Structures are given as C-alpha cells and as structure tokens.
C-alpha cells in the first residue's frame, strides 16, 4: 500500500484465468469478447493467460496480446501439464480479489461475467456457471456426463453440482483455500465444491467450440471419472471388501454342498466345469480387487513424492487496467 513499486503493487479487482492449450485460432476472438465485456464493467481487471505447453502459435499470440494490452498477464508453463494444473498456476499468480476461470475456446460465454460479479458483490464466494443446454455435443457425451454426475453425487462425500464445468468466479478466500490444496491428482470440480463457502449457480447455454478441436476423448473422460471417484471417496475399497465377503460366503455354501454331495453320492471325480468356473471366478474377483487397491496405492505413491505441481518458463504480469501504453487524457 504505502510504497509504490509499480508492477508488484498493481492489484486488479478481477483476474480472468484463461488456460490455453493449442488455441491459436480462438484466442484473438476470445480476447476481443472478454475485453468487450470488461470494458463495459469498468473495473480494474487482468486477463491471465496460462499457456499449457502448446505446440502451435498460442504462446506468440498471447505474447502479442500482452504487448498490445497492458491488462494481459501471461504464464508460460514449461510443458503441457493439463488443464487442472494450468488453472492452478493461474490461481497461484492471480492478483484479483475475485478470480474467474474460463475456457479459451469460447464454450463459456464471457457475457456471463457481469452477472457473476453482481452475485459476488452480493456476498457469494463461488459463482458457478451451470449449463442448461449443450450445443454441439453428441448424445453419448451428454449421457455419459449425466451418469458421471449421478455417480459422483452418490459415492463422493462432496456435492458436485450437475452440469457444471470449471467456468466460475471465486472470491479471495475461496482462491486462498484452493491454493492450499497441493495434491497432484486434482479433480477440480470436486475441489471447488469441497472448499465450501457460499456457492451459487448461474444458468447459461453452453455453446459449441468456436474453432479448433476439443482435447477430450472417451478414454480421457473415463480416466477423469476415475480421478473424480478415487480422489473423493474410498467407497470402491469398501466395495472390494464386500465383494470379497460375498464371494467367500458363496464359496462356503458351495463347499458345504460339494461335501454333502460327496457324502451322499460318493466322489466320482466329475466336476471339471464347476472347478474351472470357480477358479476363473475367484481369479477374476481377486484381480479386480487388486486393481482397485492398486488405483489407490498408485495415487498414494504419486502424492508421497511431493513434487512441485508445475514449472514455468515465463511469468509476465500486466501492469494496468488501461489498454495500450498511452494513458487517457487527464492522467
Ligand atoms: N486446456 C489446457 N490444457 C490441456 C487441455 C485443455 O489448458 O491440456 C484448456 C483448453 O485450451 C481450453 C480448456 O482447457 O481453454 C478446455 O479444453 P477443451 O475445450 O479441450 O475441453 P472441453 O471443453 O471439450 O471439455
Ligand atoms: Mg471446450
């Protein structure tokens, strides 16, 4: 406050965190639309682009935006770390009192920002955008997403709101809470809910991607679902326990039956098929249970290494709310 050191001192009211991975086609249009919205708001804002190891011209596009518009901040990660980490890097460097995370592919309409800010000023800590419709997505993606939200609702100990992506506003204390979470397996949707505070939804229509391709496929989605479940609940482990108990109970009844049959009718070395079935069934159950345990052991292994979450090539923070270097008249 008292000593003015320029760059360090600049505290925007709002930071827009925009993770970008190979978004060269969309970024100029994204920046235009976000800037248009910010201009109407007239609050000191910063747009913090996080280049997540893009292999196309994304970084030079961001550098150009940074050069042209002084409210643009830039973080260049040392490689592709994935969106969850890119967002985390954004939170770590965001200087705003409120932070908004938004996709750069324009699937999240920036026009929602004023409403988010209104709700934040009304005292909400987390204002999340909740989809009413999903344009440009297949029924299969919609169906799998629906099932996933239902499942995570049932088994996880946190209530993750349905049809909600990462697009949201976070207050200072929500961001500070998120900064303290150092885990590597970051299921952000769950973490956003887990930090608690006063949360509220803003309904919106999700558009199709403006340009470029989605980085998601079903295999990634499946792994994402696994991540969500394993970082928030140990229910699968308990399931393994009950599966084991159930199988043991079945095996015991079957043993009684076999013993009784041998006593009554003698043992004529039949039963090859039933023997095979039992062996294969038990083998299957054991391997599956081991797999479930393995999922958790693997995650424990990754977390115990305690590696830093990311490295950066460059961090350049914007210095002012004003566009371009020249100041408006009277200043
Ligand atoms: N993204 C990222 N790192 C990645 C993948 C994606 O920063 O490894 C960014 C991407 O640039 C976009 C956002 O995360 O701004 C959402 O990505 P995408 O559109 O591929 O996901 P979808 O909208 O299909 O869920
Ligand atoms: Mg997208």
């Amino acid at each position: 406050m008292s000593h003015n050191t320029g760059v360090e001192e600049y505290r925007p009211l709002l930071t827009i965190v925009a993770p970008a991975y190979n978004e060269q086609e969309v970024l100029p249009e994204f920046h235009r639309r976000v800037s248009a919205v910010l201009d109407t708001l007239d609050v000191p804002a910063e747009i913090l682009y996080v280049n997540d190891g893009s292999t196309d011209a994304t970084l030079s596009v961001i550098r150009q935006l940074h050069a042209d518009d002084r409210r643009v901040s830039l973080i260049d990660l040392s490689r592709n770390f994935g969106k969850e980490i890119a967002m985390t890097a954004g939170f770590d460097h965001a200087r705003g009192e409120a932070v908004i995370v938004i996709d750069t592919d324009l699937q999240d309409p920036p026009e929602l920002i004023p409403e988010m800010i209104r709700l934040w000023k009304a005292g909400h800590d987390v204002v999340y955008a909740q989809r009413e419709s999903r344009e440009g997505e297949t029924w299969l993606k919609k169906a799998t997403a629906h099932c996933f939200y239902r499942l995570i609702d049932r088994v996880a100990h946190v209530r993750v709101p349905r049809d909600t992506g990462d697009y949201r506003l976070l207050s200072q204390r929500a961001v500070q809470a998120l900064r303290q979470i150092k885990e590597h397996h970051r299921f952000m949707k769950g973490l956003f809910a887990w930090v608690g505070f006063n949360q509220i939804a803003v309904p919106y229509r999700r558009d199709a991607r403006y340009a470029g391709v989605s980085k998601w496929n079903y295999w990634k989605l499946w792994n994402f679902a696994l991540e969500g479940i394993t970082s928030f609940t140990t229910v699968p482990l308990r399931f393994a326990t009950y599966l084991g108990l159930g199988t043991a109970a079945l095996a015991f009844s079957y043993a009684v039956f076999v013993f009784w049959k041998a006593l009554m009718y003698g043992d004529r070395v039949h039963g090859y098929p039933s023997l095979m079935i039992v062996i294969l069934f038990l083998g299957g159950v054991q391997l599956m249970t081991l797999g479930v345990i393995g999922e958790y052991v693997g995650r424990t292994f990754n977390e115990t290494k305690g590696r830093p979450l990311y490295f950066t090539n460059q961090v350049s923070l914007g210095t002012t709310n004003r566009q371009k270097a020249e100041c408006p008249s009277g200043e």
Side-chain angles (χ1 to χ4, degrees), residues 33 103 105-112 131-137 141 167 204-211:
R33 270 181 62 187
D103 284 3
D105 60 1
L106 289 173
Q107 276 191 293
D108 303 334
E111 289 71 28
L112 230 58
R131 296 190 273 274
E132 278 177 334
S133 68
R134 290 174 154 230
E135 304 281 326
E137 281 175 354
K141 182 160 180 193
Y167 186 23
Y204 79 112
R205 285 166 54 90
R206 186 160 170 90
D207 297 324
R209 226 171 199 288
Y210 178 77

Side-chain angles (χ1 to χ4, degrees), residues 38-321:
L38 292 182
D39 290 342
T40 63
L41 279 174
D42 202 32
V43 294
E46 119 187 275
I47 309 174
L48 173 51
Y49 289 102
V50 184
N51 175 40
D52 187 15
S54 302
T55 51
D56 64 358
T58 298
L59 180 60
S60 37
V61 174
I62 298 175
R63 285 208 173 121
Q64 193 55 51
L65 294 172
H66 179 65
D68 292 347
D69 186 344
R70 294 175 68 191
R71 66 185 159 189
V72 170
S73 299
L74 140 71
I75 301 175
D76 182 28
L77 299 183
S78 61
R79 64 170 172 85
N80 177 256
F81 284 93
K83 185 189 177 187
E84 322 273 308
I85 300 282
M87 283 194 286
T88 305
F91 294 146
D92 288 348
H93 293 86
R95 292 168 296 169
E97 273 167 49
V99 175
I100 292 180
V101 216
I102 183 169
D103 284 3
T104 44
D105 60 1
L106 289 173
Q107 276 191 293
D108 303 334
E111 289 71 28
L112 230 58
I113 292 173
E115 176 64 4
M116 288 178 157
I117 294 192
R118 194 185 65 74
L119 287 166
W120 167 60
K121 287 191 170 156
H124 298 282
D125 287 280
V126 179
V127 184
Y128 56 89
Q130 194 162 37
R131 296 190 273 274
E132 278 177 334
S133 68
R134 290 174 154 230
E135 304 281 326
E137 281 175 354
T138 62
W139 68 267
L140 190 61
K141 182 160 180 193
K142 286 184 207 172
T144 43
H146 177 76
C147 292
F148 171 67
Y149 283 120
R150 273 191 69 121
L151 183 72
I152 201 92
D153 229 30
R154 295 272 312 259
V155 299
H157 298 299
V158 288
R159 233 197 76 68
V160 178
R162 302 263 172 96
D163 293 329
T164 301
D166 295 319
Y167 186 23
R168 66 191 67 215
L169 178 146
L170 301 155
S171 70
Q172 183 93 59
R173 57 179 183 172
V175 171
Q176 246 144 33
L178 281 168
R179 280 186 192 144
Q180 289 173 42
I181 299 175
K182 299 289 180 210
E183 61 199 60
H184 279 249
H185 292 272
R186 305 179 83 75
F187 178 63
M188 292 306 283
K189 285 183 219 286
L191 294 180
F192 287 137
W194 184 81
V195 297
F197 301 120
N198 192 344
Q199 310 217 357
I200 192 168
V202 187
Y204 79 112
R205 285 166 54 90
R206 186 160 170 90
D207 297 324
R209 226 171 199 288
Y210 178 77
V213 286
S214 168
K215 281 91 200 167
W216 284 110
N217 56 43
Y218 283 102
W219 178 242
K220 278 198 180 169
L221 226 48
W222 163 250
N223 283 314
F224 186 67
L226 272 189
E227 207 67 81
I229 291 163
T230 49
S231 24
F232 277 93
T233 171
T234 50
V235 163
L237 289 176
R238 197 162 314 146
F239 173 76
T241 309
Y242 290 120
L243 186 69
L245 281 176
T247 318
L250 277 179
F252 183 73
S253 342
Y254 188 59
V256 170
F257 168 71
V258 169
F259 189 65
W260 170 81
K261 211 173 93 177
L263 280 184
M264 299 299 285
Y265 307 103
D267 182 16
R268 287 172 293 150
V269 201
H270 273 155
Y272 172 75
S274 51
L275 202 62
M276 267 327 265
I277 291 170
V278 169
I279 290 175
L280 292 178
F281 178 67
L282 281 183
V285 167
Q286 282 172 349
L287 288 179
M288 198 192 84
T289 314
L290 264 183
V292 173
I293 297 171
E295 287 291 329
Y296 285 91
V297 174
R299 279 171 175 75
T300 312
F301 169 68
N302 283 337
E303 298 296 350
T304 50
K305 284 187 287 194
R307 289 184 185 164
L309 289 176
Y310 58 87
F311 293 107
T312 55
N313 288 328
Q314 179 193 353
V315 178
S316 306
L317 299 180
T319 47
T320 158
N321 180 37

Side-chain angles (χ1 to χ4, degrees), residues 1-11 95 319:
M1 276 271 177
S2 51
H3 55 284
N4 188 357
T5 54
V7 181
E8 249 59 61
E9 279 302 301
Y10 175 61
R11 276 196 69 83
R95 292 168 296 169
T319 47

